Amino acid sequence: MIKVRLIKLLSHAKKYVWLQVVFQWISLIAQVLLIYCLTSFVPDAASYLTKGSYMAEGLFPTMGRNTPLTRLIIIGLCILIRFCMDWLTSRTSFRASVDVKRILRTRICEKLLRLGSSYRDNVRTAEVVQLASEGVEQLEIYFGKYLSQFFYSLLCPLTLFAILSFVNIKAAAVLLVCVPLIPMSIVVVMKIAKRLLNKYWGLYAELGDSFLENLQGLTTLKIYRAEKRKSLEMDEEAQKFRHVTMKVLTMQLNSTSVMDIMAYGGAAVGMIVTLLQLRAGNVDLQGALMIILLAAEFFIPLRLLGSFFHIAMNGMAASDKIFALLDLPEPEEKRGRMPDKLSSIRFCNLDFSYGGKDSRQILHDVNIDCSCGITSFVGLSGCGKSTLAGILVGRNRSYEGQLLFEGEGSSADRASVELRQISGASLMENIVLVNHESYLFKGSIRDNLLMAKPEASDQELNKALEKVNLSDFAGEGLDYMLEEAASNLSGGQKQRLALARALLLNPKVYIFDEATSNIDVESEEEIMRVIHELASEKIVILISHRLANVTSANKIYFLQEGNITESGSHSQLLERDGEYAKLFKKQKELESFAKGEGYGNI
């Protein structure tokens, strides 16, 4: 139950563990002295009853005569010391817990940042949330309580044996020999519990994942009246989790009973031996009382360790999953930067598969040239348009071929830089992706805009809102408060606000991936107006299922099943009369029909 890697990871918290052990040990010494002073009254009482006078000799020669008042003062000091040590133990336990939670959650967040948005390829979001919350809380007990109790449980019986052996070696030895019975029972329980707790955490993560997914898709479930079926599925998962939880609790209850038998049984054996030694005259009454009163102290620390043990086992199971997350392979850290004066982006013979070479290929030998102005990727759903955007922003780096960023100006600026060599920070500074899923956070409009440019003034923020025709929100402007996921805005307002945030970032490259989907015509026109303004000085990549939006693009690439089958301007592609022209004409006919222009022919 001592995980070396975990202790090394949280080395800063070790000092609090050792301080707890020291404070508990001082408290133990004070308790021994307290009991010694209390039991010293017994001979006095016996002497008084037999001789009718106080005949006690000094027990502490250096203090002079050991009067009842002196012993009462020592007893008071011992109680005060124990109180102080208990307070300090609780305080250091709290400090250890704070450090553990801070360090672990920081490590998890740093790991996710290093993994980037691709972390979801290896671990579920719900599991990450559970590990960072419940998992870390379990390890708080491990460091804040269990470790210090573990070491103190070893130190306490040895200390008591060293003291009580001067009173009666046989009784002290019997108590010491009985102590290992509790750790032996813990070891047996640990072997049974490890597999059970791993199953517990697995089901816990699955249940959390299902709950999060169903909660996010609740509206869809209601629309298709599938909420009852999903509810039954969750009930089944909850039943499985309940069964394994009850097994864990049963195991804990049974092990607690076994440890109680070991602890109190061992103390009882020690007391019986002490009474036999008293009867044989090998120990006086005061010594016998000391051993009897301290017998339980041999076992109480280990018994308390047993109660922490089950929580610690939960922490160990959680730590295995935390380390599995921390051990996920990370993309190699790159130090390259995008050219200062970016002139073009070139996809050269690019292939991509989500599951590696052996999986279905998504992109095949793609060659694209994007320069200042609008470059559009179009095609039917599933043709690979959004995959290209994901590669460009660094989400999907396991591609074959090259993706080059080319500069202009001086020789240094003109150098081509491959995407694999560019750091994540440089990519995020120079490329922004705006899509229909761009997230807006709970808080004010100002808070959401300042994410892109923290030092921006209110004048700059208002200017960005004016560009997307969002200069006033219910009269509150920048102070208008958004609810979670901006649920109090319309779809068009959300898209325009996301665009305003992207404008504040002012990168070299803008990628609009279906940024005008599912919004009203007015908002679509506003967004397209801004896109055309940006195209005069930026590289703009426009991905849209609606071909009417890409007619003014400098160059259009038409994809079919991951292949670029046609490319050129809108007029060139119409003249070719290929798949692009057919799709454009079909969409135009459908739009004309929707406007009522085709009703007369019915």
Side-chain angles (χ1 to χ4, degrees):
M1 283 299 293
I2 302 297
K3 202 159 196 171
V4 177
R5 183 182 176 185
L6 188 61
I7 294 173
K8 287 181 178 178
L9 177 66
L10 303 168
S11 57
H12 187 260
K14 284 195 294 187
K15 65 180 181 181
Y16 297 116
V17 173
W18 293 119
L19 282 172
Q20 287 181 71
V21 175
V22 171
F23 294 147
Q24 286 177 296
W25 187 79
I26 293 172
S27 179
L28 174 66
I29 297 300
Q31 183 174 3
V32 172
L33 184 58
L34 172 66
I35 289 176
Y36 179 80
C37 290
L38 285 172
T39 55
S40 68
F41 283 105
V42 175
D44 293 346
S47 175
Y48 179 80
L49 291 173
T50 55
K51 299 183 179 180
S53 63
Y54 181 74
M55 298 293 293
E57 296 293 328
L59 295 176
F60 303 94
T62 57
M63 293 181 63
R65 183 170 178 78
N66 185 22
T67 64
L69 180 60
T70 303
R71 279 174 277 172
L72 287 173
I73 292 172
I74 295 172
I75 289 170
L77 288 173
C78 290
I79 293 172
L80 180 62
I81 290 170
R82 280 181 57 80
F83 173 80
C84 292
M85 292 303 105
D86 288 346
W87 182 83
L88 288 171
T89 300
S90 300
R91 183 67 180 170
T92 49
S93 173
F94 170 76
R95 292 301 309 163
S97 301
V98 169
D99 267 18
V100 166
K101 288 191 283 190
R102 177 180 57 81
I103 293 169
L104 281 177
R105 285 172 179 153
T106 300
R107 290 297 183 94
I108 290 172
C109 289
E110 289 174 348
K111 180 67 178 184
L112 293 176
L113 288 173
R114 290 195 298 271
L115 288 173
S117 56
S118 62
Y119 82 90
R120 287 176 291 186
D121 297 338
N122 301 291
V123 63
R124 293 167 295 182
T125 301
E127 185 173 0
V128 173
V129 172
Q130 288 162 342
L131 289 176
S133 54
E134 183 68 18
V136 171
E137 292 294 331
Q138 298 288 354
L139 282 170
E140 170 195 355
I141 300 295
Y142 179 81
F143 264 88
K145 298 285 187 182
Y146 177 80
L147 276 182
S148 61
Q149 191 64 33
F150 177 84
F151 292 112
Y152 175 67
S153 298
L154 300 177
L155 182 61
C156 177
L158 295 174
T159 301
L160 289 172
F161 174 76
I163 295 171
L164 295 181
S165 60
F166 291 100
V167 180
N168 186 272
I169 185 70
K170 189 172 182 179
V174 168
L175 288 168
L176 186 65
V177 168
C178 291
V179 167
L181 294 174
I182 296 179
M184 288 169 60
S185 67
I186 291 176
V187 170
V188 173
V189 171
M190 184 172 66
K191 290 183 178 180
I192 301 171
K194 189 172 183 180
R195 181 168 52 85
L196 190 59
L197 287 169
N198 283 333
K199 185 178 180 181
Y200 169 89
W201 271 100
L203 290 173
Y204 182 57
E206 288 176 12
L207 183 61
D209 197 38
S210 297
F211 178 77
L212 180 62
E213 184 180 34
N214 292 335
L215 188 63
Q216 290 172 332
L218 187 58
T219 302
T220 303
L221 292 175
K222 293 291 289 184
I223 290 171
Y224 290 99
R225 298 181 180 179
E227 72 274 11
K228 187 171 290 186
R229 178 170 57 83
K230 284 293 184 181
S231 176
L232 292 173
E233 289 176 5
M234 278 202 67
D235 283 345
E236 290 178 9
E237 292 182 24
Q239 283 296 330
K240 291 179 183 177
F241 181 65
R242 185 182 68 83
H243 286 312
V244 75
T245 302
M246 294 307 296
K247 287 181 180 179
V248 170
L249 293 174
T250 302
M251 178 268 296
Q252 291 177 348
L253 183 61
N254 291 338
S255 63
T256 299
S257 301
V258 170
M259 284 186 286
D260 283 341
I261 292 170
M262 298 292 183
Y264 297 117
V269 170
M271 291 177 189
I272 291 169
V273 172
T274 302
L275 292 174
L276 292 174
Q277 289 293 299
L278 176 64
R279 183 179 178 182
N282 295 327
V283 63
D284 60 15
L285 183 59
Q286 180 184 359
L289 284 173
M290 275 191 66
I291 294 173
I292 290 171
L293 292 175
L294 290 172
E297 292 299 323
F298 275 84
F299 305 94
I300 288 175
L302 278 167
R303 174 63 191 83
L304 192 58
L305 178 70
S307 65
F308 293 143
F309 164 76
H310 301 294
I311 302 175
M313 280 297 296
N314 257 338
M316 289 297 94
S319 73
D320 290 338
K321 293 189 176 293
I322 289 173
F323 283 128
L325 171 62
L326 297 180
D327 289 340
L328 287 175
E330 300 174 13
E332 185 181 349
E333 186 179 355
K334 307 298 180 183
R335 299 185 180 276
R337 291 189 59 80
M338 199 173 290
D340 292 334
K341 296 181 179 179
L342 183 66
S343 63
S344 65
I345 302 171
R346 291 176 56 212
F347 295 77
C348 303
N349 308 115
L350 191 140
D351 297 329
F352 180 78
S353 301
Y354 278 109
K357 293 181 180 180
D358 299 330
S359 301
R360 184 176 68 87
Q361 203 165 351
I362 306 299
L363 298 173
H364 310 266
D365 196 29
V366 171
N367 289 278
I368 294 174
D369 193 350
C370 308
S371 54
C372 185
I374 299 177
T375 302
S376 293
F377 304 156
V378 298
L380 299 175
S381 296
C383 67
K385 306 186 298 295
S386 295
T387 301
L388 283 170
I391 292 172
L392 195 53
V393 296
R395 289 181 182 173
N396 310 316
R397 295 200 180 214
S398 57
Y399 58 87
E400 295 182 21
Q402 289 186 308
L403 204 169
L404 301 173
F405 292 86
E406 298 184 332
E408 63 180 19
S410 66
S411 58
D413 290 333
R414 281 199 302 271
S416 295
V417 185
E418 219 286 325
L419 174 67
R420 296 184 183 94
Q421 303 305 316
I422 299 176
S423 68
S426 182
L427 276 179
M428 288 186 282
E429 287 173 11
N430 294 287
I431 301 177
V432 66
L433 172 64
V434 181
N435 59 23
H436 62 284
E437 296 179 341
S438 296
Y439 197 83
L440 297 170
F441 292 85
K442 183 178 180 180
S444 67
I445 298 292
R446 180 185 287 101
D447 294 335
N448 276 272
L449 293 177
L450 287 176
M451 291 176 65
K453 190 176 180 182
E455 72 280 6
S457 64
D458 282 2
Q459 185 179 358
E460 291 177 275
L461 302 183
N462 283 315
K463 188 176 180 181
L465 291 175
E466 286 172 8
K467 285 184 178 180
V468 296
N469 197 21
L470 285 177
S471 56
D472 185 36
F473 275 92
E476 296 181 38
L478 294 172
D479 294 319
Y480 184 78
M481 297 300 294
L482 302 182
E483 295 177 4
E484 185 179 358
S487 58
N488 54 335
L489 298 185
S490 68
Q493 288 175 322
K494 289 179 186 179
Q495 291 297 88
R496 282 186 278 163
L497 184 55
L499 178 55
R501 185 170 60 187
L503 293 176
L504 280 166
L505 187 63
N506 193 29
K508 294 182 174 73
V509 182
Y510 283 89
I511 304 172
F512 295 94
D513 185 3
E514 304 290 3
T516 61
S517 64
N518 303 320
I519 60 175
D520 57 277
V521 176
E522 180 187 353
S523 294
E524 183 177 22
E525 290 175 352
E526 289 289 346
I527 291 173
M528 290 307 302
R529 178 184 58 78
V530 175
I531 288 174
H532 285 100
E533 288 177 5
L534 289 170
S536 62
E537 55 183 16
K538 303 285 185 180
I539 295 176
V540 175
I541 295 173
L542 177 60
I543 299 171
S544 178
H545 69 282
R546 187 166 180 260
L547 300 186
N549 287 335
V550 305
T551 55
S552 60
N554 300 66
K555 195 162 187 179
I556 301 168
Y557 291 89
F558 187 79
L559 284 85
Q560 286 183 295
E561 297 181 353
N563 296 288
I564 295 178
T565 56
E566 300 175 46
S567 64
S569 66
H570 174 67
S571 58
Q572 289 172 338
L573 292 175
L574 288 183
E575 287 176 9
R576 188 175 297 174
D577 198 26
E579 293 299 320
Y580 174 86
K582 291 177 183 177
L583 184 60
F584 178 78
K585 290 173 183 176
K586 186 179 292 185
Q587 287 188 4
K588 193 172 182 180
E589 289 173 3
L590 288 171
E591 288 177 5
S592 297
F593 183 81
K595 292 176 182 177
E597 296 174 10
Y599 289 163
N601 298 322
I602 297 177

